[in-house]
Amino acid sequence: MSPIARTAPKPASTPQELIRNFCIIAHIDHGKSTLADRMLQITGVVEDRLMRAQYLDRMDIERERGITIKSQAVRMPWAVDGSDGPKSYALNMIDTPGHVDFTYEVSRSLAACEGAVLLVDAAQGIEAQTLANLYLAMEHDLTIIPVLNKIDLPAAQPDKFAAELAHLIGGEPEDCLRVSGKTGEGVDALLDRIVQQIPHPTGNDDGPARAMIFDSVYDTYRGVVTYVRVVDGKLHPRERIAMMSTKATHELLEIGVSSPEPEPTQGLGVGEVGYLITGVKDVRQSKVGDTVTNAARPARTPLAGYADPKPMVFSGLYPIDGSDYPVLRDALDKLKLNDAALVYEPETSAALGFGFRIGFLGLLHLEIVRERLEREFDLDLISTAPSVVYEVTMEDGSEITVTNPSEFPGGKVKDVREPIVRATILTPAEFIGTVMELCQQRRGSLLGMDYLSEDRVEMRYTLPLAEIVFDFFDNLKSRTRGYASLDYEPAGEQTADLVKVDILLQGEQVDAFSAIVHKDKAYSYGTMMAGKLRELIPRQQFEVPVQAAIGSRVIARETIRAIRKDVLAKCYGGDISRKRKLLEKQKEGKKRMKMVGRVEVPQEAFIAALSSETDSKDSKEKSKK
């Protein structure tokens, strides 16, 4: 039967037995968004004339880079022949990101579903993020449907990777469905399998309404649009609803489903996924993870929310024009609504003025947030070099949390603890030696190693987070010709021999250039930063020493030479003693000037030395891979 004939119109209200909630999880670039496109076409919710590639990726950045950043929910109808005739089911699909930095988006999507489609590229096989997302789905106790995608590629090896996948999740290779998101082959069978295997949602139809907020966006005209999954009871338009954490009550102006464009309905029942609009403009009123209930008949206990995401990398964001600071503050408030993993607090810098210290989940997350702020809110921003959080214990027993090198305390330090991560690296067996060498250079310790097949190895390492936030991923890719993949998760803290390297200009410390590094790498950082500043800071009327120091001990030095006027230009011949007298006079003047002179570092030098422009290029390349 043709897909069009099997597609049923959207019912006004769907019983929970006919609802299936599922998400698609995979490693980056394994074809999640392409498969979602085919599902939208086959179920008929998007007409062929309106279809475009990556239909659910709404942001320009997502479309340009070919990656999914935000999870997107969509409702699709699908009719299946049963013993008593065809039945029309409502499938709520959530397309999730694949990059390690957006794992939090995946965890929120999994909490709103009963099942997951585990997608693996038939040409590349299982990769690090495939495993990470699989374990997340298992923690949520979801039904997992294994699928091999891209079987139309000449390089596809479906039999080999079906055996790997079956071994991983416990099953038979024949259970792995084989589809092509590009051509649509096998997608009908996948939709049928979703209806057969994924359980329908369960909840109390007649109890007080409880709906979990799993996402929100800010609309300039309509205010906050909240996306919810109804767990118990029903929600109807024009009734008053209450947010259980903030106790705020609002009138429900519109309620509906995304199919994939917003479609107003007469209400949402148990298991349904949809959106709520209350017209509220205050972005703090719709917190992700909060429970929505009926104000007249409220629920007693809220639903278990999501664990707050823990930022891994901190960076300062400053407007180039100081007057844009209030605009940046409002922009971050609105972006926080759309990106619940964002953590920020105001910060001032002697060099860069007023800005914010922002916590990110990784370097790609940092780059995406900065780009979204610049595009969506028309801001020009400087981002300082990323750093991680350190815990410092002093000799007197006091503890200090350091998110910025300038906060590192002086005096006697007992120990410094740094965050560590448990990293999973999947690589072809031929690159084991080079990967081990790279991890040892970055102070890593090997936890274990498993062969997934004859030529693919899973390596588990403990690594300091500070060692992998810069260029670890790029080095890993270049050493393995692009075949290795990386996933990591927080694994606590460890004590390390860390020191603060200060940069001194003519004996005066410049806080903005300080960094916390391992003792073994302090010299290389000091020489690199001193050399960089020698090029960037313009020459003065006097000689300026640029020094890198640990405490009172100088470890590196460069000298910015003085601009000297040619005082001998007017001397045509004559006695040498006259020339020497003029030079001595100039030397005395320079000496006096050095004693009272101050080095003014121009804004451009700060921007060039502090901003992570090189890192942004790296992460752009990373996101394409």
Side-chain angles (χ1 to χ4, degrees):
M1 193 179 284
S2 72
I4 296 171
R6 300 183 58 180
T7 303
K10 185 176 76 66
S13 177
T14 310
Q16 61 194 50
E17 294 78 23
L18 298 178
I19 296 173
R20 299 291 184 270
N21 295 325
F22 71 98
C23 59
I24 305 176
I25 54 175
H27 189 84
I28 192 167
D29 201 29
H30 277 213
K32 295 178 298 301
S33 298
T34 311
L35 179 62
D37 287 348
R38 292 297 78 71
M39 286 182 173
L40 294 176
Q41 273 188 302
I42 287 172
T43 56
V45 292
V46 179
E47 297 174 34
D48 288 345
R49 65 190 178 86
L50 298 174
M51 195 64 204
R52 63 171 193 268
Q54 289 175 266
Y55 190 89
L56 293 177
D57 291 345
R58 302 299 169 92
M59 282 187 275
D60 291 343
I61 305 172
E62 289 180 314
R63 305 187 67 76
E64 284 167 19
R65 297 193 179 197
I67 57 172
T68 302
I69 294 165
K70 286 290 299 172
S71 299
Q72 295 289 349
V74 61
R75 178 179 171 129
M76 305 177 294
W78 186 245
V80 173
D81 292 328
S83 55
D84 51 350
K87 273 188 182 177
S88 181
Y89 290 84
L91 309 182
N92 289 313
M93 176 188 69
I94 303 178
D95 179 25
T96 63
H99 196 279
V100 60
D101 283 10
F102 303 110
T103 304
Y104 181 63
E105 287 282 325
V106 180
S107 69
R108 286 174 20 207
S109 304
L110 293 171
C113 297
E114 280 78 35
V117 172
L118 180 68
L119 204 63
V120 173
D121 187 327
Q124 296 181 65
I126 295 163
E127 298 198 59
Q129 198 62 23
T130 315
L131 290 176
N133 288 338
L134 171 64
Y135 297 148
L136 269 178
M138 286 176 165
E139 280 173 28
H140 285 80
D141 202 22
L142 301 188
T143 301
I144 293 159
I145 299 176
V147 178
L148 285 169
N149 192 21
K150 305 189 184 181
I151 57 166
D152 57 308
L153 291 181
Q157 297 173 281
D159 295 334
K160 175 187 173 184
F161 294 126
E164 273 189 31
L165 201 49
H167 171 69
L168 184 66
I169 63 173
E172 296 301 321
E174 300 80 53
D175 296 337
C176 297
L177 286 172
R178 302 179 184 198
V179 306
S180 168
K182 188 175 180 183
T183 65
E185 182 186 346
V187 178
D188 293 54
L190 172 57
L191 290 167
D192 287 342
R193 181 78 67 92
I194 287 165
V195 170
Q196 290 161 14
Q197 291 192 354
I198 293 177
H200 65 77
T202 55
N204 183 358
D205 261 330
D206 303 318
R210 291 198 302 171
M212 170 73 82
I213 300 176
F214 68 89
D215 200 8
S216 300
V217 294
Y218 184 81
D219 186 282
T220 312
Y221 303 104
R222 314 197 72 181
V224 177
V225 181
T226 306
Y227 292 93
V228 296
R229 149 79 197 263
V230 181
V231 176
D232 293 320
K234 290 184 175 69
L235 289 172
H236 298 98
R238 293 297 166 187
E239 68 180 3
R240 287 200 75 77
I241 57 168
M243 306 289 177
M244 292 190 77
S245 70
T246 60
K247 308 295 183 200
T249 63
H250 315 290
E251 185 184 0
L252 197 50
L253 301 179
E254 185 178 310
I255 187 167
V257 296
S258 300
S259 187
E261 304 306 322
E263 284 187 18
T265 64
Q266 291 306 306
L268 292 177
V270 171
E272 291 196 279
V273 175
Y275 67 88
L276 313 175
I277 295 175
T278 58
V280 173
K281 298 279 186 179
D282 185 355
V283 295
R284 296 174 192 83
Q285 302 258 341
S286 291
K287 189 182 171 191
V288 168
D290 197 358
T291 303
V292 179
T293 188
N294 191 308
R297 190 187 168 204
R300 290 185 180 179
T301 54
L303 297 161
Y306 311 105
D308 282 334
K310 191 177 178 187
M312 307 278 273
V313 179
F314 284 82
S315 175
L317 272 187
Y318 296 86
I320 288 177
D321 182 353
S323 63
D324 281 341
Y325 176 75
V327 182
L328 176 59
R329 186 179 56 223
D330 292 343
L332 283 169
D333 280 346
K334 287 174 183 170
L335 199 58
K336 165 102 177 145
L337 186 72
N338 196 235
D339 184 352
L342 209 58
V343 179
Y344 56 92
E345 58 182 27
E347 175 181 77
T348 56
S349 159
L352 303 170
F354 291 99
F356 289 90
R357 190 88 186 151
I358 305 181
F360 302 96
L361 299 179
L363 274 193
L364 180 64
H365 187 213
L366 183 161
E367 194 50 42
I368 294 295
V369 167
R370 178 180 162 180
E371 201 166 326
R372 286 186 69 185
L373 287 168
E374 289 182 339
R375 284 187 185 203
E376 295 173 24
F377 302 96
D378 198 23
L379 289 163
D380 288 320
L381 301 172
I382 309 162
S383 60
T384 62
S387 64
V388 299
V389 183
Y390 299 96
E391 297 290 339
V392 180
T393 306
M394 307 299 287
E395 286 286 0
D396 60 5
S398 60
E399 295 200 353
I400 299 163
T401 301
V402 176
T403 59
N404 191 340
S406 61
E407 296 169 2
F408 197 88
K412 292 190 175 179
V413 173
K414 185 179 178 184
D415 63 43
V416 183
R417 293 183 306 284
E418 64 176 349
I420 56 171
V421 294
R422 180 191 163 98
T424 305
I425 299 168
L426 265 70
T427 177
E430 64 188 283
F431 299 116
I432 290 175
T434 57
V435 171
M436 281 185 161
E437 184 189 2
L438 174 64
C439 292
Q440 281 165 4
Q441 285 174 5
R442 301 303 177 97
R443 300 189 283 129
S445 54
L446 183 65
L447 295 174
M449 200 162 80
D450 289 319
Y451 278 81
L452 295 177
S453 63
E454 289 178 15
D455 55 354
R456 283 171 69 75
V457 182
E458 177 192 346
M459 302 169 76
R460 295 180 299 282
Y461 267 92
T462 301
L463 286 155
L465 179 61
E467 295 286 348
I468 67 169
V469 295
F470 285 104
D471 56 354
F472 180 82
F473 188 84
D474 296 326
N475 273 313
L476 180 68
K477 282 287 186 186
S478 61
R479 286 178 185 227
T480 58
R481 299 206 299 271
Y483 284 111
S485 59
L486 167 75
D487 176 66
Y488 59 85
E489 59 183 14
E493 295 177 334
Q494 69 177 15
T495 302
D497 196 359
L498 301 168
V499 291
K500 179 189 176 188
V501 178
D502 289 315
I503 301 296
L504 311 175
L505 285 180
Q506 206 184 339
E508 284 189 25
Q509 185 179 318
V510 184
D511 268 349
F513 297 132
S514 301
I516 299 167
V517 294
H518 193 263
K519 204 169 186 177
D520 296 344
K521 299 190 176 179
Y523 172 73
S524 60
Y525 174 80
T527 50
M528 180 273 293
M529 189 53 94
K532 206 175 189 183
L533 291 177
R534 184 172 67 96
E535 303 294 327
L536 293 169
I537 295 173
R539 289 167 69 183
Q540 313 286 319
Q541 292 283 352
F542 49 92
E543 191 178 82
V544 179
V546 180
Q547 297 166 309
I550 300 171
S552 57
R553 184 164 60 90
V554 175
I555 57 169
R557 171 180 170 137
E558 293 280 355
T559 304
I560 301 170
R561 294 182 57 202
I563 301 170
R564 300 181 77 93
K565 182 183 173 185
D566 187 1
V567 292
L568 303 182
K570 58 189 176 184
C571 297
Y572 296 99
D575 190 7
I576 187 66
S577 60
R578 183 172 174 232
K579 293 181 182 177
R580 195 170 289 135
K581 186 179 174 185
L582 286 168
L583 289 170
E584 286 296 327
K585 189 178 175 185
Q586 185 187 39
K587 193 175 174 184
E588 285 297 319
K590 295 284 181 194
K591 196 174 177 182
R592 280 198 309 275
M593 198 181 286
K594 189 171 182 177
M595 288 166 67
V596 297
R598 280 181 55 82
V599 182
E600 291 296 329
V601 183
Q603 177 91 340
E604 295 73 33
F606 273 112
I607 293 169
L610 289 178
S611 68
S612 46
E613 284 304 311
T614 52
D615 299 322
S616 71
K617 287 171 192 164
D618 292 343
S619 48
K620 277 175 188 171
E621 288 301 316
K622 184 190 308 181
S623 67
K624 288 172 187 170
K625 295 167 188 171

